[in-house]
Structure formats: structure tokens, C-alpha cells
């Protein structure tokens, strides 16, 4: 039984499937031995069967899915067109767009990705289609007249035609591959969850394969994530709300499909995380794949922090879909950061 002030060590070179529970305060989670970081993973291998014509089908148990590795590479939802956007010619409020689709095939039930403003890419579901008119739910962030830049269809077998694409519907995963693919899917939403905890440290560990976030910090104080690798996560590497004195330092964070680090904001409210220290991290490819973040608020950012008296110092942020560093709050220090390549998929942003 894990108790307050315990230290828990994982053997280097090993992989551990499941969610890491944090049952007490003042805990240390680290590594022992030699070799690569021990990995806490949510990935499971999926057996795929050929359905002909480069289509492979497998069965999964999750009702939602956002992180799929195909032969070790992040796959993306099947889309039409395969690159660029279709153009919508008219709109009705935030729940309807009309373009030059014929109505055949009918895309009802598929997702639509809409760039309804220069800096917003929304994902919605097509509830019905009549000719070129698509009815959408949930509502778009803005009425598309404000700087709209088109749309594309995704996550339907009707558009599955390119290596590396996948479609998820119910318990069925469909993949396009030329030969039998090795497919791994994220089956756990959060790999480590802290709720009303204090003085907990993760050091020298690897986290990969969450559908939502590798680490979630809620209403907790003095949490440290140090010298860890947090890769291939469905939305965030670290996500926190209403927490103070969070330290995220010397970590490698890659391939987060929404944001690398988000602290202090949820889908519905700002719940600040003051006295945060984010330093000396390498953050690469945050929100770099259009239409793939499960949660769509303030997305495609390397670092996004809401909270007074915070420090963001000495980080390297590369290849962000929107902004490298976004911060909100008083008496904060943001300096000596290197930001390279931002606004990959949107504009009206900056480093």
C-alpha cells in the first residue's frame, strides 16, 4: 500500500500499461536501473484483418479515440480533400455551411473541420446534408463570415484512401495500408491523475498513449514533472486547473494533438494556476495535425498558462499549429525561450 512520503521506482527499460494512481500526498515517482526511461503507456496493439483493397479492420472497446499509431507513426483521420480545403459559399449562423458538394455521397454522421476564422479550426459533426448544405452540431466558435477559409470532411469510410489514414466508428477501427499494419491505439484517457494532492513529483519517467492528457493536475499544489518524456498524446501532455506552484522542467514533450502544456483554462471556465514554473522543456509538434485535438479551446499551442506570478523560461518550442507560448496573468516572467515555426495551420498568431 502506497502511503504518504513513499518513493515508487519503475525499472528502466520496462513498459507499464495502465493509469498511474496517486493515492496520497508527498510522493515521489522515479526510475531505477539502467537503460531507457520506464514508460507508462495507454497504447494497446490491435489485431487487424484485411477487408481487401488496402482496407484493414480491427475491433476496439473505446467509444472515443484520438490517438492511433500505424507502423509507429501517428495516423490521422481519413479526410476529403486529402490536403487543403473545400470552399463554402454561404452560411447560416454557426450551425450551417453550404459549398459545392453534390450531396452524393452523403456525409451525414461524418465530422467536418471548419476554419471559421483565421485563428480558429473547429471540428463538428454533420447531422444532415442536403445537396451542398451541411447542418452541424455542436455550433462553430464563430459565424464563418469572419475570415472563413473553407472546410474538409473527415472520419468516414467514404474518404478513406491514403496510407496512414484511419476511421473510428463505434467499436470498429478501419485503417488504410498497403501491407498488414502494426496498429496501436490509446485506450486510457489520462495516464496520471492528481486531484487535491500536494508535494508529488514525477521524475525520469516516460508517458505515452493517452486519449486526453498524459498528466492531469486538478486543485493540487506543489506538483513537479521533471526530466520526463511525454509523447504521442491525444490532446495534452500536461493539463491543469486550479493548482498552484506547478513545476514542469527539463521535459521532452512531443506530438500532443491539441496543446503541449495547458494550465488554468477548461472548455467552460478559466480556473487559474498561479505561481507556475515552466522551464527548460523541449516541446515539439503541438496541434500540428488539423482537426485532431479532442478538445478545441485555445488549441494548437506549445504552452498555454493562465495564472499570476508565473515563469516561462528557457524553453524550446518547435512546430506549433498556432502559437508557441500564450500566457495570461500579472507579474509573470517570459524570457529566454526559443520559438521556431508557429502558425502551421492558422494565422493571426505569433511565437
Amino acid at each position: 500500500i502506497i502511503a504518504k512520503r513513499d518513493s515508487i521506482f519503475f525499472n528502466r527499460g520496462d513498459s507499464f500499461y495502465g493509469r498511474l494512481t496517486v493515492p496520497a500526498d508527498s510522493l515521489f515517482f522515479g526510475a531505477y536501473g539502467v537503460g531507457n526511461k520506464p514508460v507508462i503507456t495507454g497504447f494497446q496493439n490491435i489485431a487487424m484483418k484485411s477487408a481487401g483493397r488496402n482496407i484493414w479492420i480491427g475491433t476496439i472497446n473505446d467509444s472515443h479515440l484520438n490517438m492511433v499509431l500505424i507502423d509507429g507513426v501517428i495516423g490521422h483521420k481519413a479526410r476529403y480533400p486529402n490536403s487543403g480545403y473545400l470552399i463554402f459559399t454561404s452560411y447560416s449562423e454557426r450551425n450551417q455551411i453550404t459549398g459545392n458538394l453534390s450531396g452524393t455521397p452523403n456525409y451525414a454522421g461524418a465530422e467536418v473541420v471548419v476554419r471559421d476564422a483565421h485563428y480558429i479550426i473547429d471540428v463538428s459533426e454533420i447531422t444532415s446534408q442536403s445537396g451542398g448544405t451541411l447542418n452541424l452540431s455542436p455550433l462553430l466558435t464563430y459565424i464563418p463570415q469572419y475570415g472563413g477559409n473553407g472546410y474538409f470532411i473527415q472520419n468516414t469510410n467514404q474518404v478513406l484512401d491514403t496510407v496512414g489514414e484511419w476511421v473510428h466508428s463505434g467499436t470498429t477501427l478501419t485503417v488504410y495500408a498497403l501491407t498488414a499494419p502494426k496498429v496501436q491505439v490509446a485506450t486510457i484517457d489520462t495516464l496520471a491523475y492528481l486531484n487535491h494532492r500536494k508535494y508529488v513529483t514525477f521524475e525520469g519517467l516516460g508517458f505515452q498513449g493517452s486519449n486526453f492528457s498524459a498528466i492531469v493536475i486538478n486543485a493540487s499544489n506543489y506538483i513537479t514533472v521533471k526530466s520526463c518524456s511525454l509523447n504521442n498524446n491525444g490532446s495534452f501532455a500536461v493539463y491543469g486547473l486550479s493548482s498552484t506552484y506547478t513545476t514542469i522542467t527539463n521535459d521532452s514533450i512531443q506530438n500532443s494533438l491539441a496543446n503541449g502544456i495547458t494550465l488554468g483554462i477548461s472548455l467552460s471556465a478559466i480556473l487559474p494556476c498561479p505561481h507556475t514554473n515552466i522551464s527548460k522543456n523541449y516541446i515539439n509538434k503541438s496541434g500540428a495535425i488539423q482537426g485532431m485535438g479532442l478538445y478545441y479551446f485555445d488549441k494548437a499551442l506549445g504552452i498555454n498558462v493562465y495564472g499570476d506570478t508565473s515563469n516561462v523560461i528557457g524553453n524550446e518550442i518547435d512546430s506549433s499549429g498556432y502559437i508557441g507560448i500564450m500566457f495570461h496573468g500579472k507579474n509573470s516572467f517570459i524570457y529566454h525561450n526559443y520559438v521556431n515555426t508557429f502558425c502551421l495551420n492558422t494565422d493571426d498568431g505569433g511565437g
Side-chain angles (χ1 to χ4, degrees):
I1 298 175
I2 297 174
K4 187 175 182 179
R5 298 188 180 89
D6 278 353
S7 294
I8 300 92
F9 294 93
F10 297 87
N11 187 33
R12 289 183 176 273
D14 286 349
S15 180
F16 302 86
Y17 171 79
R19 178 169 167 173
L20 182 61
T21 59
V22 184
D25 296 334
S26 303
L27 297 178
F28 178 90
F29 295 88
Y32 74 94
V34 296
N36 295 327
K37 290 182 176 70
V39 175
I40 312 300
T41 183
F43 281 126
Q44 285 193 322
N45 295 323
I46 302 299
M48 306 298 290
K49 295 182 179 180
S50 175
R53 298 188 178 183
N54 302 324
I55 301 297
W56 301 82
I57 295 176
T59 300
I60 64 174
N61 296 321
D62 296 88
S63 60
H64 67 270
L65 175 67
N66 205 52
M67 174 57 68
V68 178
L69 296 184
I70 303 172
D71 294 326
V73 178
I74 294 179
H76 58 87
K77 293 179 181 180
R79 55 168 288 179
Y80 171 77
N82 286 320
S83 62
Y85 290 88
L86 303 168
I87 301 300
F88 53 81
T89 54
S90 62
Y91 57 88
S92 177
E93 295 301 321
R94 294 188 289 151
N95 64 346
Q96 186 184 89
I97 58 174
T98 299
N100 56 4
L101 296 173
S102 67
T104 304
N106 189 291
Y107 292 118
E111 295 174 352
V112 61
V113 180
V114 183
R115 188 172 179 184
D116 44 304
H118 285 291
Y119 55 95
I120 292 290
I121 296 178
D122 278 327
V123 180
S124 189
E125 181 179 343
I126 302 171
T127 56
S128 63
Q129 178 179 354
S130 177
T133 298
L134 307 178
N135 295 302
L136 315 178
S137 180
L139 299 176
L140 302 176
T141 302
Y142 295 120
I143 296 174
Q145 62 177 320
Y146 299 111
N149 195 35
Y151 67 101
F152 61 84
I153 310 297
Q154 72 174 16
N155 199 39
T156 171
N157 288 325
Q158 296 162 306
V159 301
L160 182 65
D161 60 5
T162 301
V163 171
E165 289 187 334
W166 56 271
V167 173
H168 174 228
S169 178
T171 59
T172 301
L173 175 68
T174 309
V175 168
Y176 191 96
L178 302 181
T179 58
K182 177 183 178 182
V183 175
Q184 298 170 281
V185 303
T187 59
I188 298 174
D189 284 344
T190 301
L191 298 176
Y193 183 75
L194 299 98
N195 186 40
H196 293 275
R197 293 293 173 220
K198 58 186 177 182
Y199 298 107
V200 175
T201 295
F202 302 99
E203 182 172 347
L205 302 177
F207 295 86
Q208 65 173 14
S210 70
N211 262 319
F212 176 59
S213 182
I215 299 174
V216 170
I217 303 167
N218 181 59
S220 297
N221 303 320
Y222 297 98
I223 307 302
T224 298
V225 182
K226 180 180 181 181
S227 301
C228 292
S229 298
L230 304 101
N231 301 327
N232 299 336
N233 291 293
S235 281
F236 309 103
V238 181
Y239 175 77
L241 300 172
S242 302
S243 298
T244 63
Y245 295 100
T246 302
T247 296
I248 303 169
T249 185
N250 200 38
D251 299 305
S252 176
I253 295 171
Q254 301 192 62
N255 297 319
S256 306
L257 295 187
N259 299 343
I261 298 170
T262 289
L263 299 174
I265 181 172
S266 73
L267 183 61
S268 59
I270 295 173
L271 301 169
C273 292
H275 306 290
T276 291
N277 176 50
I278 302 173
S279 63
K280 299 179 182 179
N281 300 289
Y282 174 67
I283 302 173
N284 185 38
K285 295 183 179 177
S286 303
I289 304 176
Q290 295 170 336
M292 287 294 291
L294 273 180
Y295 294 78
Y296 307 112
F297 53 95
D298 280 0
K299 55 190 174 293
L301 312 177
I303 296 172
N304 187 23
V305 57
Y306 283 72
D308 296 341
T309 322
S310 295
N311 297 320
V312 181
I313 302 170
N315 301 281
E316 181 179 349
I317 299 105
D318 200 354
S319 301
S320 303
Y322 184 31
I323 291 172
I325 301 172
M326 179 179 283
F327 65 97
H328 312 257
K330 301 177 293 183
N331 302 318
S332 295
F333 291 92
I334 317 294
Y335 64 86
H336 290 173
N337 298 287
Y338 175 70
V339 181
N340 180 47
T341 311
F342 50 88
C343 289
L344 287 175
N345 299 323
T346 54
D347 51 30
D348 195 17

